[in-house]
Amino acid sequence: MCLKKRPICLVVLLLILLILISTGNSVRTGTILDDQELALADGEKLWIWGEIENKEPKTEGFAITLKGAYTKNAPQEQYRIQVYISKEISCQIGDKIKIYGKIKRLQVSRNKGMFYQALYYKAKKIQYICNGESLEIIQAGKMNLREHIFNVRMMLYHRLQEIYPQEEAELLAAILLGIKSGLEEETKNLYQKAGILHLISISGLHISCIGLGLYHFLRKAGVSFASSGIATTLFLVFYGILSGESVSACRAIIMAVLMMGAWYLGRSYDLLTALSYAALLILVQSPYQLYQAGFQLSFGAVLGIGIVSPEFVKAFGRNNKILDAVAMNLGIQLTTLPIILYYYYEIPLYSLFLNLILVPLMSLILCSGLLGLVLSYLGLGFGKFGGAGAVVLLKFYEKLADSTLQLPFSNIRWGQPELINIGGYYFVLALGVYVLHKMNGRKDKILREETHLYGEYGWEDKVSFSCICVVLVSCLLLKYHPQSLLKITMLDVGQGDGIVIEQKQGGVYLVDGGSSDVTQVGKYRIFPFLKAEGISKIQGIFISHMDTDHISGIKELLEYQAQGELQIERVYLPDIGKKDDIYKEMEEKIMQQNIELVYLSRGMKLEQKGLEIQLLQPVSKEIYQDRNEYSMVFRLTYKDFSMLFTGDVEGKGEEEMLQSEQLEKTTILKAAHHGSEYTMCEEVLAQIQPVFTWISCGKNNSYGHPHKALLDRIEQLNSEIYVTMDQGAITVETDGEHMIIYEKCRQ
């Protein structure tokens, strides 16, 4: 690829570098929200005035984008706010409305693997989200083009639901209209795990089939170059708005328009130049799109098609259509592999072969789906007949995808690769493509000038084959995680507890996992972290006690075990004399999954490859009146490093712990009960004298945690304090002699 002949490519590279320099640090540290995005109080209920800029159907209700939005207290400040309202609405795009609801500030990613909400909405130029409760139209706007297009979109969506069975209707709504709100979670997971999720997203494939198909039809019908290009461009813009204006659709439309322009002017179309123009237009409009998975995958796939795949095809295709297709898909897969791993943490091993079969069939699904829509206006029976092919093929997609997931190693969890590893991999890939380019050029020259000197498999082929092998082996760079001997992470689970212990070659352990203020904390915070760390097996889960803020996420993990997403070997419970209903229910859930149950009490020890866990609480078979009193307490020791895990111990439990005379000085204290005033008394702190104190609690919690009285007691010991509500997930890595503590973010 010669950049001298493609100046626009250099411009885009410089723009990307400028974006990374100006925003990279704030994105990494979670400080991307500016003063305007922090002006409104999180969780406050208020009236908001604004004009409807866009509407999007959701599972329940609609998402409304307000522009020029303001509140009564600060009418001079204007915001863009995304309002979610769970009911039918009669307002139109362009209407000026007032809406009452709860304002939510955008959340940064506070744990590894957690969805970066603030970055996602910042790319869409949204400053707040709001859960709307009531809506009132202040001034009706004039019916505009966007409202007409929205109405057409909804009309087609409802028609799809009338023509097809529910599952196929929702899939075709995603494929044709970009509406994914009705897709079942199970269906989305199936397509994602099989590596074919891109097939149900509006992409270049759709634009090529629909837009360029229209252009060629008009040309064959005798319409001029200019008229065909203008008509197709207008249709593509209409279709882009109709389908939700995704980045991949915008990229494909821009490139398609440039292609038709090149044909009209009689000039050659350069894919990389067109791609650069598309990137320039999108990034100038919204620089934070650079950090979105959709942007990276869309542009990465085209780079694979334009740079990597052609060299693979020339090297190994040998005019064989099957080999050409394999080489083409391999080039795309290798180009996008780091991006897939960075955002989804897993490799769908058989996706290469699935795409070979399913991608060519996509045009048939598009044509059949569109035909069914058109014919349905002659009668639903005609629509069902016309769309029968799409229904059959979508069922075939599902069966084939499901079958591949039943095969061994169908989905390999590698975890999120380090950025330096991604850079190393792309360097090897670029070097490999360069060598292939040279070898392909040499073969072309020989075949043109001295055919008799080039055999069926010359040394050029051997070099090319070796080069491909090196690139394939370099994929292991993405798996390599330089792991310390012991790594402990206190996750930010809001008002709750969740700690992950990772011992190199020794296993993974979880200490509690729950929250009282984060819904589905297992799904959105704990399990994503495990996936990002490449963890598919947990050797043991310690449940300190049975309060919801310690077990709600663990219940979800047990469901992942049932689905085959996670393997849990055993669960450790406090050995107490009197068990309440919640305790018994948890025992039953664990036994239903055939997980080993182990009961722990004071005096017991667990050892694993130099790691020792000494139980300090509870007293075996003792009867406690309160769950916090029987909370499991244990001391983890690894060489010179130690950490005291205290659950929510207080009252009788803390008194027994003091009387046991087993407390010792510790490196890190996990403060009990989220920093409550009534735990970690001066006598306990005097005995353990922690160098560092970790506190897990939720932002703006109603309990006032961590309490000032406890913080004062800890500060008197000169213990350095880390709090999840301020710093996100907190991690320590140690070899038993030296250690480093780092935070996910700081606010």
Side-chain angles (χ1 to χ4, degrees):
M1 184 179 85
C2 181
L3 292 180
K4 291 182 180 179
K5 296 180 180 180
R6 299 181 175 94
I8 188 64
C9 295
L10 283 173
V11 171
V12 170
L13 289 175
L14 289 173
L15 175 62
I16 289 173
L17 183 61
L18 180 62
I19 292 171
L20 291 174
I21 291 172
S22 60
T23 64
N25 186 62
S26 61
V27 169
R28 181 181 57 82
T29 58
T31 55
I32 67 171
L33 298 179
D34 57 34
D35 291 342
Q36 193 174 30
E37 292 161 330
L38 296 171
L40 301 181
D42 188 38
E44 181 181 1
K45 287 191 174 184
L46 41 71
W47 284 98
I48 303 167
W49 286 259
E51 181 181 336
I52 299 178
E53 183 181 39
N54 200 11
K55 294 188 294 186
E56 184 74 19
K58 293 298 177 183
T59 307
E60 296 180 359
F62 292 87
I64 302 170
T65 303
L66 291 182
K67 67 177 181 180
Y70 61 92
T71 64
K72 185 177 181 179
N73 294 336
Q76 72 283 0
E77 292 289 339
Q78 296 194 342
Y79 311 95
R80 288 187 83 242
I81 300 177
Q82 187 99 309
V83 180
Y84 293 93
I85 189 158
S86 58
K87 58 184 178 182
E88 288 292 329
I89 54 175
S90 58
C91 54
Q92 300 179 354
I93 295 172
D95 287 353
K96 292 183 179 179
I97 65 170
K98 71 173 185 178
I99 193 162
Y100 183 75
K102 181 187 288 187
I103 281 288
K104 299 290 290 183
R105 286 182 183 172
L106 304 179
Q107 290 189 350
V108 300
S109 176
R110 304 184 63 79
N111 303 291
K112 186 176 182 179
M114 180 178 167
F115 173 55
Y116 205 149
Q117 184 193 57
L119 192 57
Y120 172 78
Y121 281 104
K122 206 167 179 76
K124 299 175 73 172
K125 297 187 174 180
I126 300 293
Q127 296 167 301
Y128 292 92
I129 57 177
C130 173
N131 294 324
E133 297 179 9
S134 62
L135 181 152
E136 181 181 335
I137 299 174
I138 302 298
Q139 179 182 336
K142 295 180 180 179
M143 179 71 78
N144 59 34
L145 179 61
R146 279 190 171 273
E147 180 64 26
H148 282 300
I149 293 175
F150 177 81
N151 290 336
V152 171
R153 189 185 193 195
M154 296 308 298
M155 178 189 69
L156 295 175
Y157 177 48
H158 294 313
R159 181 52 62 105
L160 286 172
Q161 292 175 320
E162 292 175 354
I163 303 171
Y164 303 108
Q166 183 178 355
E167 185 176 350
E168 285 71 31
E170 296 298 346
L171 280 168
L172 283 169
I175 292 169
L176 298 174
L177 305 175
I179 298 175
K180 296 182 180 179
S181 57
L183 281 176
E184 295 288 338
E185 193 73 24
E186 184 179 347
T187 303
K188 285 190 280 190
N189 287 337
L190 173 66
Y191 276 74
Q192 180 181 318
K193 287 185 172 298
I196 56 172
L197 186 62
H198 62 96
L199 295 179
I200 56 173
S201 301
I202 305 294
S203 65
L205 180 63
H206 300 66
I207 301 304
S208 298
C209 289
I210 298 173
L212 297 182
L214 173 63
Y215 176 84
H216 290 303
F217 172 79
L218 292 174
R219 287 293 299 129
K220 287 183 178 180
V223 181
S224 67
F225 273 114
S227 298
S228 298
I230 292 171
T232 303
T233 298
L234 291 174
F235 173 78
L236 286 177
V237 171
F238 167 81
Y239 183 67
I241 298 172
L242 179 78
S243 60
E245 301 175 270
S246 68
V247 167
S248 57
C250 291
R251 188 269 307 158
I253 290 169
I254 293 168
M255 294 181 71
V257 171
L258 290 173
M259 179 183 289
M260 291 184 292
W263 292 340
Y264 174 73
L265 295 172
R267 303 184 63 176
S268 60
Y269 171 75
D270 183 67
L271 182 142
L272 295 178
T273 299
L275 184 69
S276 298
Y277 273 114
L280 183 65
L281 291 173
I282 291 171
L283 291 178
V284 166
Q285 190 269 337
S286 178
Y288 284 96
Q289 286 288 357
L290 180 64
Y291 297 98
Q292 300 304 304
F295 178 93
Q296 294 174 19
L297 285 171
S298 180
F299 281 83
V302 178
L303 284 172
I305 293 170
I307 299 176
V308 182
S309 292
E311 302 302 336
F312 281 28
V313 171
K314 289 178 185 177
F316 302 107
R318 297 190 176 277
N319 297 318
N320 183 305
K321 289 186 177 181
I322 295 178
L323 287 178
D324 284 355
V326 170
M328 176 66 72
N329 274 280
L330 182 61
I332 298 170
Q333 297 277 342
L334 289 174
T335 307
T336 57
L337 177 62
I339 304 171
I340 291 170
L341 278 176
Y342 190 81
Y343 291 102
Y344 302 108
Y345 325 122
E346 296 175 327
I347 299 176
L349 192 60
Y350 304 112
S351 63
L352 173 63
F353 307 104
L354 269 180
N355 280 288
L356 280 173
I357 299 169
L358 301 183
V359 168
L361 298 175
M362 198 66 214
S363 58
L364 297 178
I365 291 177
L366 287 168
C367 292
S368 178
L370 288 172
L371 181 63
L373 267 177
V374 173
L375 292 180
S376 70
Y377 288 96
L378 299 176
L380 290 181
F382 290 106
K384 291 177 181 179
F385 176 78
V391 173
V392 171
L393 287 173
L394 285 173
K395 287 186 180 296
F396 174 68
Y397 270 38
E398 183 178 348
K399 289 289 184 185
L400 195 58
D402 189 57
S403 297
T404 60
L405 291 181
Q406 305 307 316
L407 297 174
F409 310 109
S410 61
N411 212 265
I412 304 173
R413 189 171 298 164
W414 269 18
Q416 188 180 67
E418 301 291 333
L419 292 177
I420 190 170
N421 295 36
I422 293 176
Y425 168 82
Y426 275 128
F427 174 78
V428 175
L429 179 61
L431 188 61
V433 170
Y434 175 78
V435 173
L436 284 177
H437 178 72
K438 290 296 183 182
M439 292 301 101
N440 290 332
R442 180 174 175 80
K443 285 192 294 184
D444 288 343
K445 183 178 180 182
I446 292 173
L447 290 169
R448 283 196 310 270
E449 300 175 2
E450 304 175 47
T451 307
H452 64 282
L453 294 179
Y454 184 73
E456 181 68 17
Y457 290 100
W459 68 268
E460 292 88 356
D461 283 308
K462 294 176 182 177
V463 171
S464 295
F465 180 76
S466 300
C467 185
I468 292 294
C469 290
V470 170
V471 171
L472 291 173
V473 171
S474 73
C475 293
L476 296 175
L477 283 172
L478 302 172
K479 170 66 175 172
Y480 175 68
H481 296 274
Q483 187 178 345
S484 56
L485 294 175
L486 180 64
K487 180 178 178 181
I488 302 174
T489 302
M490 173 182 278
L491 300 176
D492 182 353
V493 292
Q495 188 67 12
D497 264 10
I499 302 173
V500 180
I501 303 170
E502 301 172 67
Q503 186 186 13
K504 191 174 184 179
Q505 300 177 342
V508 176
Y509 298 88
L510 180 64
V511 183
D512 288 330
S515 178
S516 61
D517 65 347
V518 175
T519 305
Q520 292 184 290
V521 68
K523 178 180 180 180
Y524 294 115
R525 301 208 180 185
I526 301 174
F527 190 58
F529 176 84
L530 297 176
K531 287 181 67 176
E533 286 288 283
I535 296 170
S536 57
K537 182 178 181 180
I538 297 177
Q539 276 64 34
I541 298 178
F542 294 85
I543 299 179
S544 64
H545 62 298
M546 296 299 164
D547 279 351
T548 299
D549 59 340
H550 289 251
I551 64 170
S552 62
I554 292 174
K555 289 180 179 179
E556 294 176 62
L557 295 185
L558 292 176
E559 294 175 8
Y560 285 115
Q561 158 100 1
Q563 298 164 9
E565 295 272 0
L566 191 65
Q567 184 181 349
I568 302 170
E569 285 192 350
R570 64 186 63 85
V571 175
Y572 300 97
L573 300 179
D575 185 14
I576 56 176
K578 184 180 179 181
K579 304 174 182 178
D580 60 18
D581 292 341
I582 295 179
Y583 192 114
K584 293 174 183 177
E585 179 190 350
M586 179 59 79
E587 282 182 313
E588 185 177 348
K589 286 180 179 293
I590 294 165
M591 289 187 288
Q592 285 174 352
Q593 298 300 324
N594 296 317
I595 299 171
E596 181 184 358
L597 262 175
V598 180
Y599 298 91
L600 301 179
S601 60
R602 181 192 294 175
M604 299 179 71
K605 284 187 180 181
L606 305 173
E607 295 187 39
Q608 175 69 45
K609 296 185 181 293
L611 188 74
E612 181 181 282
I613 292 177
Q614 178 184 6
L615 273 297
L616 307 182
Q617 280 297 113
V619 174
S620 179
K621 306 302 181 185
E622 182 72 15
I623 296 176
Y624 297 89
Q625 300 302 316
D626 183 83
R627 292 189 194 126
N628 290 343
E629 291 184 343
Y630 72 69
S631 190
M632 186 189 298
V633 179
F634 63 85
R635 175 186 171 88
L636 178 150
T637 306
Y638 184 70
K639 299 180 182 178
D640 296 336
F641 173 85
S642 61
M643 183 167 178
L644 185 64
F645 296 80
T646 58
D648 279 358
V649 68
E650 61 184 18
K652 180 180 178 180
E654 190 171 46
E655 292 172 7
E656 289 178 343
M657 193 167 60
L658 270 171
Q659 294 167 4
S660 70
E661 298 183 352
Q662 293 184 359
L663 293 174
E664 302 176 26
K665 291 182 179 180
T666 189
T667 311
I668 298 176
L669 163 68
K670 184 257 135 182
H673 206 175
H674 322 292
S676 167
E677 177 185 9
Y678 305 107
T679 189
M680 298 286 99
C681 64
E682 291 181 356
E683 292 85 348
V684 169
L685 291 173
Q687 291 188 36
I688 60 179
Q689 295 184 23
V691 181
F692 303 95
T693 300
W694 290 6
I695 301 174
S696 177
C697 61
K699 207 168 189 66
N700 301 321
N701 65 82
S702 59
Y703 307 99
H705 295 159
H707 199 277
K708 185 178 183 303
L710 174 66
L711 296 177
D712 289 342
R713 292 198 293 269
I714 294 171
E715 286 172 354
Q716 288 176 5
L717 301 172
N718 294 319
S719 179
E720 190 172 345
I721 300 171
Y722 292 82
V723 186
T724 57
M725 73 174 187
D726 297 323
Q727 292 140 319
I730 305 160
T731 301
V732 60
E733 293 188 8
T734 179
D735 60 2
E737 297 176 357
H738 309 91
M739 70 176 187
I740 180 172
I741 296 178
Y742 51 91
E743 314 134 297
K744 182 66 173 69
C745 58
R746 179 176 286 275
Q747 286 188 315

